[in-house]
Amino acid sequence: MTAPQSPTRVLVLNSGSSSLKYQLLDMRDSSRLAVGLVERIGEATSRLVHTPLEGGGERRERTGPIADHDAALKAVSEELTQDGLGLDSPALAAIGHRVVHGGLKFHAPTVITDEVIAEVERLVPVAPLHNPANITGIRTARALRPDLPQVAVFDTAFHTTMPEAAARYAIDVETADAHRIRRYGFHGTSHAYVSRATAALLGKDPSEVNVIVLHLGNGASASAVAGGRCVETSMGLTPLEGLVMGTRSGDIDPAVTFHLKRVAGMSTDEIDALLNKKSGLVGLCGDNDMREIRRRIDEGDERARLAFDIYVHRLKKYIGAYYAVLGRVDAVAFTAGVGENAAPVREAALAGLEEMGLVVDAGLNAARSDTARLISPEYARVAVAVVPTDEELEIARQTFELVTGDVKKGVPDSPTA
Ligand code: AMP
């Protein structure tokens, strides 16, 4: 008689206000069994796209109204059941939820209880766009599988190791504390994964290396990671601070907001929308897609050129600042949509930094690949890496380690796979 196998699958859920992204992974080999997305939840034109990745199933799509997250997860569950991967399977070990804001309380992945949900709810004022959607996803999944461990993996957790000198704003301490105003940082799951994978690429343990991680997607953030611990990151109380992003301004003199209110007569909500949705690359040149911006530059478009230059200038400032914060840098790692794909951004951001040991090999930089790789020449003092981020795998790994007690410190299984 064979002993029953212990469950090895983890479902990762990422709930947005009108979307639900999911991946089902098998943690024996970190393989994906199915991936999918429900979008436009609550509208007449909802769409579910489901792709089974094992067993030769075909990509399937359904359209038509999906009223809420509860209906969305039930539809996902039906799709998984059709592939023999149903959520009622004894092979499912846990559900891992991406939660954007964990404040100061959550330093690590956490098994979800009513108290955890209440605390995530208390953080809604500092994450009004994200935490309510994350809570909805959690409630829905708990209702469907109340017996299963559910784990929250927080975007802010990796940054809770920042020293107070980096985490505090220089404003009145009582006011800051009364309203929980401090720098939390975001994209932490990606920064954790990429800094670890970069160490693996160098053949080192994360504790041995100092890495600057540049997560350049539609949202963008930088982090300085010393021996595996985050010591500084560019996003702050909200994901608005720091680098120039697709639609967000990043750093700006706070007095600009008073000026917009007093002189331009804008309301707080209008200023919020301006800085979060109509700024960054889109505000500067009308496009937030780096491919389109590069195409326009090639055609001689001056606005696109200026937008690119402002984006790169800010990036270079952060690389210099984080170099100083770390003192010694072993690697700079580029990740996310722009970081992984836009060779001209990588080249321009590091141009002229040879004195700091930062050199990019033009041929390696131009070569297209979807695996983790070095793009610096062998003689360079500081490695430059391109590392595809994998937040779902990181969430699945942290979830699985927590529920099985299988905490493997060190390198990811196969960062180059
Ligand atoms: P993310 O938020 O990580 O999905 O990144 C999305 C952004 O990546 C898009 O808005 C584009 O600006 C950028 N991007 C994606 N693919 C490419 C590419 N092949 N070349 C340049 N930029 C890209």
Side-chain angles (χ1 to χ4, degrees):
M1 213 171 76
T2 51
Q5 282 199 329
S6 48
T8 56
R9 291 181 194 157
V10 174
L11 178 71
V12 175
L13 293 182
N14 182 353
S15 309
S17 54
S18 64
S19 68
L20 178 68
K21 291 188 204 146
Y22 62 95
Q23 294 199 359
L24 183 68
L25 294 98
D26 189 327
M27 299 318 291
R28 283 176 297 190
D29 57 0
S30 304
S31 63
R32 276 155 179 85
L33 304 175
V35 302
L37 158 77
V38 190
E39 56 189 357
R40 297 194 291 274
I41 295 171
E43 292 178 35
T45 57
S46 315
R47 187 167 81 119
L48 187 161
V49 181
H50 174 85
T51 310
L53 299 172
E54 298 261 308
E58 296 262 304
R59 177 183 182 276
R60 300 193 291 273
E61 194 173 318
R62 340 178 167 175
T63 46
I66 296 179
D68 51 24
H69 281 75
D70 192 39
L73 188 59
K74 284 193 178 124
V76 169
S77 174
E78 283 164 23
E79 293 296 336
L80 290 167
T81 302
Q82 206 172 315
D83 300 320
L85 300 167
L87 297 188
D88 52 358
S89 163
L92 190 61
I95 299 180
H97 295 265
R98 175 181 184 219
V99 180
V100 167
H101 214 310
L104 280 183
K105 248 209 171 113
F106 299 112
H107 300 244
T110 304
V111 173
I112 295 169
T113 59
D114 291 344
E115 291 71 45
V116 170
I117 295 177
E119 183 57 28
V120 173
E121 234 160 11
R122 272 195 284 279
L123 290 162
V124 166
V126 284
L129 296 180
H130 296 102
N131 275 25
N134 300 155
I135 294 167
T136 305
I138 290 171
R139 289 218 164 99
T140 305
R142 282 182 105 203
L144 203 67
R145 281 296 307 269
D147 54 314
L148 200 66
Q150 313 236 355
V151 174
V153 178
F154 299 94
D155 259 21
T156 46
F158 186 61
H159 305 304
T160 55
T161 50
M162 272 197 290
E164 284 293 282
R168 278 205 176 262
Y169 291 110
I171 62 171
D172 172 66
V173 173
E174 278 77 34
T175 307
D177 288 350
H179 300 286
R180 306 191 198 209
I181 296 170
R182 59 188 283 122
R183 308 188 58 250
Y184 295 99
F186 298 89
H187 293 145
T189 311
S190 176
H191 287 281
Y193 176 85
V194 171
S195 56
R196 246 177 352 148
T198 303
L201 200 57
L202 300 179
K204 301 246 168 90
D205 189 82
S207 63
E208 298 172 304
V209 291
N210 290 351
V211 186
I212 296 174
V213 178
L214 304 168
H215 176 111
L216 311 176
N218 203 22
S221 62
S223 70
V225 183
R229 290 165 68 84
C230 178
V231 293
E232 173 64 287
T233 194
S234 59
M235 284 177 167
L237 173 73
T238 76
L240 183 56
E241 191 179 341
L243 300 174
V244 177
M245 310 183 210
T247 65
R248 292 177 221 147
S249 62
D251 293 338
I252 197 166
D253 179 346
V256 170
T257 57
F258 320 145
H259 190 82
L260 287 170
K261 199 154 188 170
R262 291 186 189 127
V263 180
M266 289 174 74
S267 69
T268 304
D269 285 348
E270 284 168 340
I271 298 169
D272 189 327
L274 175 79
L275 297 181
N276 273 298
K277 300 196 177 126
K278 293 186 237 160
S279 296
L281 292 171
V282 93
L284 289 167
C285 75
D287 271 308
N288 63 342
D289 193 313
M290 193 53 82
R291 284 164 288 202
E292 188 57 20
I293 291 170
R294 290 305 308 174
R295 197 190 57 71
R296 285 172 55 186
I297 292 171
D298 290 343
E299 287 176 352
D301 186 318
E302 285 303 320
R303 272 184 72 192
R305 174 87 249 169
L306 183 60
F308 181 85
D309 289 348
I310 293 169
Y311 182 95
V312 166
H313 177 79
R314 182 84 53 85
L315 194 53
K316 189 176 272 190
K317 269 201 332 195
Y318 268 88
I319 293 167
Y322 286 10
Y323 206 116
V325 165
L326 288 169
R328 186 202 86 223
V329 177
D330 299 293
V332 173
F334 288 88
T335 193
V338 175
E340 291 167 29
N341 297 298
V345 169
R346 299 191 295 253
E347 183 193 331
L350 298 179
L353 304 186
E354 296 82 3
E355 289 288 324
M356 295 162 74
L358 284 158
V359 188
V360 170
D361 178 294
L364 293 174
N365 189 32
R368 296 201 63 83
S369 162
D370 52 11
T371 59
R373 61 204 182 271
L374 293 178
I375 57 166
S376 45
E378 256 177 48
Y379 67 81
R381 257 192 299 128
V382 181
V384 181
V386 179
V387 179
T389 193
D390 196 338
E391 288 166 277
E392 290 78 16
L393 174 57
E394 184 67 25
I395 291 170
R397 183 187 295 130
Q398 292 189 19
T399 299
F400 192 66
E401 285 174 354
L402 186 66
V403 300
T404 59
D406 177 20
V407 182
K408 279 193 228 92
K409 290 232 160 61
V411 299
D413 302 335
S414 53
T416 53

